[in-house]
């Protein structure tokens, strides 16, 4: 392969790697500290293992300072938009809380 084609291929691969790295970094919102008015799931981690109910949803929403809450079961469809003011309650098939995360 001629040297210029090799250089072009290498530059293309490096550019692609840079784009992938930037996309990967943008999809890691859980590592960021909550800002003012944002949800803080760490405040309600103690609810993991509890059965989800309306009472638990309201309690988790209030204590995490979230403005919205959604329960995600294993078969739930969910939008991929990130909302730092929303608490996501992930459950197992038996409605036991397995994860709490903002977004």
């Amino acid at each position: 392969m001629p040297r210029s084609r090799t250089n072009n291929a290498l530059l293309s691969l490096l550019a692609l790697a840079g784009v992938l790295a930037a996309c990967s970094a943008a999809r890691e919102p859980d590592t960021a500290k909550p800002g003012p008015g944002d949800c803080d799931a760490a405040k309600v981690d103690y609810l993991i293992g509890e059965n989800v109910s309306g009472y638990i949803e309201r309690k988790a929403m209030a204590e995490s300072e979230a403005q919205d809450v959604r329960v995600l079961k294993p078969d739930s469809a969910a939008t991929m938009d990130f909302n730092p003011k929303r608490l996501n309650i992930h459950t197992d098939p038996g409605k036991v809380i397995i994860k709490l995360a903002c977004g």
Side-chain angles (χ1 to χ4, degrees):
M1 188 182 276
R3 179 176 224 130
S4 64
R5 288 173 81 182
T6 303
N7 288 343
N8 287 343
L10 182 59
L11 288 174
S12 295
L13 285 174
L14 288 173
L16 179 60
V19 169
L20 291 175
C23 289
S24 176
R27 294 198 48 123
E28 297 178 16
D30 289 344
T31 61
K33 296 204 180 226
D38 289 350
C39 161
D40 186 356
K43 292 180 178 179
V44 290
D45 275 347
Y46 72 92
L47 294 173
I48 293 173
E50 296 288 328
N51 287 329
V52 74
S53 66
Y55 170 76
I56 292 292
E57 285 180 47
R58 290 186 300 278
K59 179 180 177 93
M61 191 167 108
E63 291 182 16
S64 69
E65 300 177 25
Q67 294 180 5
D68 192 17
V69 66
R70 68 178 171 181
V71 176
L72 299 169
K73 295 180 263 180
D75 59 349
S76 293
T79 60
M80 296 302 292
D81 65 315
F82 180 77
N83 179 351
K85 298 179 185 326
R86 177 176 56 212
L87 178 67
N88 295 307
I89 302 174
H90 299 263
T91 68
D92 68 7
K95 295 186 180 179
V96 175
I97 298 172
I98 57 173
K99 180 181 173 185
L100 296 146
C102 298

